[in-house]
Amino acid sequence: MGTTSTATRKARRWRGWLDPFVLLLLATLAGAALLPPDKELVPALSGAGGVAVAVQFFISGLRLPSSAALKGLKAWRLHLVIVGFSFVMFPILGFGVAAGSSWYLNHELVAGLLFLTMLPTAVQTATTFTGIARGNTAAAVCAASISNLLGVLATPLLVALALGSYSGMNLSSITKIAVQIVAPFVLGQLLHKLTLKWTQRWAPAFKVVDRAAILLVVYVAFGAAVADGVWHRIPAAQLAVTAGICAAMLALSLWITSLVAKKLGFVPADATAIMFCGSEKSLATGLPLSAILFTGPLGGVVILPVIMYHAMQLIVCAAIARRVARRTEPQHYTDAGPAVLAGAR
């Protein structure tokens, strides 16, 4: 009995460290590397990926509680700090990283690192880890909702301004953003209240579709890069350096968000929400956006820093959340109300 109990505890501990979706992402990358799509199939798969992106953002619109953003505006200082981290501090950090690493890293990896810094915060993981750490979960839901509502337009705009030469932003790209991202997302938001009970009932199915769309985008982008032979230009050492840079950015962002929240006088529960929401980046937004903003083999390389950072933030933030929870008294904050939490992604 003791042996079984120990084995069960170990299995649960490993499941906490190894997110199944990260494993699926790694398996997809390996599959694309070993069995890339034929060049003749890439256009058709790209078209299917475009449909998948539209479906994914429609689902995001359905599930993202915009009411959370409105109800949480009374905590405007907290949300302003998080938005500042997501769309000001991080891009500035990205420019510094790009300037310091461009002499060594392939320009596609540099573009990927810079793109990573322009993404909104992750909704699900930021709110989950805030809850585990006994932080202000309601505020985290509000902040993540605001970040993602802004990110639909802010991220493409930042990419156009900072990565125009890499992404090749033109009228076609703007049209794709409007058709595949903005329009489906807005439609989902308009239907959010009408379909709330339905989307909650079918939440597992939506999750499967959402993740399948992301995996398709990853396979097409990464497979196209492999088929084009781009990996002959990127040594393994550069990938290792990129992973190290992602780890350093995560550590720095966690430290800065925690320090700033403390210096500004936020209570511990709010500081916890600021730390997680201000340091995390959304894979669910980043990968579909990359499929539109970075076409051809370039897109297959740009997504790597996003995937690396996502895997690291899951592992590191899970450990931090558990550690904070052990030394924190339970908090009871209702800035946004329980109804808002029920609609979170």
Side-chain angles (χ1 to χ4, degrees):
M1 176 70 73
T3 304
T4 303
S5 177
T6 302
T8 301
R9 285 197 300 270
K10 287 182 177 180
R12 287 175 179 171
R13 190 179 300 118
W14 277 109
R15 283 197 296 269
W17 287 99
L18 297 175
D19 183 82
F21 186 56
V22 171
L23 297 179
L24 282 174
L25 278 172
L26 295 177
T28 302
L29 291 173
L34 296 173
L35 297 170
D38 293 332
K39 288 188 177 181
E40 293 78 10
L41 293 177
V42 169
L45 288 174
S46 297
V51 174
V53 167
V55 171
Q56 195 265 342
F57 273 90
F58 174 69
I59 292 174
S60 296
L62 282 178
R63 299 172 66 186
L64 188 67
S66 55
S67 57
L70 297 175
K71 291 182 179 179
L73 286 180
K74 61 182 180 181
W76 62 270
R77 287 180 66 247
L78 180 145
H79 302 310
L80 187 61
V81 169
I82 292 173
V83 168
F85 279 126
S86 296
F87 299 116
V88 180
M89 186 277 287
F90 251 111
I92 292 174
L93 176 61
F95 281 115
V97 167
S101 62
S102 57
W103 65 272
Y104 178 70
L105 292 182
N106 183 284
H107 73 279
E108 289 101 335
L109 290 174
V110 174
L113 288 167
L114 196 48
F115 173 65
L116 165 66
T117 64
M118 298 172 180
L119 296 175
T121 190
V123 177
Q124 185 174 351
T125 57
T127 54
T128 298
F129 291 141
T130 299
I132 291 173
R134 295 177 175 175
N136 190 341
T137 311
V141 173
C142 296
S145 300
I146 292 171
S147 179
N148 279 262
L149 287 168
L150 292 175
V152 170
L153 294 176
T155 298
L157 180 60
L158 287 171
V159 170
L161 294 174
L163 289 168
S165 59
Y166 288 108
S167 64
M169 284 281 288
N170 50 36
L171 182 59
S172 176
S173 302
I174 296 173
T175 302
K176 284 184 178 180
I177 292 171
V179 173
Q180 296 181 20
I181 294 179
V182 178
F185 184 83
V186 171
L187 179 60
Q189 283 285 281
L190 293 175
L191 297 174
H192 172 74
K193 288 186 178 180
L194 295 175
T195 61
L196 182 58
K197 292 183 179 179
W198 182 70
T199 53
Q200 288 176 347
R201 183 184 308 145
W202 293 96
F206 280 122
K207 188 175 182 179
V208 170
V209 173
D210 184 69
R211 294 191 166 187
I214 293 174
L215 294 176
L216 176 60
V217 168
V218 170
Y219 177 77
V220 174
F222 197 77
V226 172
D228 194 67
V230 71
W231 299 112
H232 297 300
R233 307 197 306 269
I234 302 180
Q238 291 198 20
L239 295 177
V241 169
T242 302
I245 291 174
C246 287
M249 287 200 302
L250 177 60
L252 182 61
S253 64
L254 285 166
W255 177 71
I256 291 177
T257 51
S258 178
L259 179 65
V260 170
K262 183 177 180 181
K263 292 294 185 182
L264 291 177
F266 286 98
V267 297
D270 287 347
T272 298
I274 289 172
M275 179 178 65
F276 288 120
C277 292
S279 62
E280 293 197 6
K281 289 296 180 180
S282 175
L283 179 87
T285 299
L287 295 187
L289 266 176
S290 69
I292 295 176
L293 299 175
F294 304 96
T295 57
L298 173 63
V301 186
V302 166
I303 64 175
L304 289 180
V306 180
I307 293 174
M308 291 176 182
Y309 193 91
H310 176 76
M312 292 175 188
Q313 75 184 14
L314 286 177
I315 295 171
V316 174
C317 291
I320 291 175
R322 295 189 186 101
R323 182 178 177 182
V324 173
R326 286 195 294 268
R327 65 187 189 195
T328 305
E329 292 296 325
Q331 303 290 328
H332 300 285
Y333 287 84
T334 55
D335 285 353
V340 171
L341 300 180
R345 288 173 63 195

